[in-house]
Amino acid sequence: MKEYLPRRINIRLKDYDYLKEGMYFITICIKDRIELLGKITNNTIKLTKEGVIV
């Protein structure tokens, strides 16, 4: 049986060429807020191997 997946809304700009060089914001969600990508201590982030890759 297939799990129910919510319908996603396309939020891309209609006439924007996303193949162009530029800066993009990416959101990465991690289940249960596991510190998979790094840990923040004293306002400094220590990245894990996976955090460096991302």
Side-chain angles (χ1 to χ4, degrees):
M1 187 166 128
K2 276 190 175 182
E3 289 185 40
Y4 170 75
L5 297 176
R7 180 172 286 194
R8 295 182 184 235
I9 299 169
N10 185 353
I11 59 171
R12 290 183 170 223
L13 298 173
K14 258 187 182 175
D15 297 321
Y16 186 77
D17 180 5
Y18 285 91
L19 294 175
K20 292 192 311 188
E21 185 176 321
M23 296 185 78
Y24 298 93
F25 181 82
I26 299 172
T27 299
I28 299 174
C29 299
I30 298 177
K31 185 179 180 198
D32 299 326
R33 297 183 180 197
I34 297 170
E35 295 174 335
L36 179 67
L37 303 177
K39 188 169 186 160
I40 298 173
T41 309
N42 297 326
N43 291 326
T44 303
I45 188 163
K46 172 74 171 152
L47 295 174
T48 61
K49 181 173 59 174
E50 295 82 2
V52 172
I53 292 169
V54 171

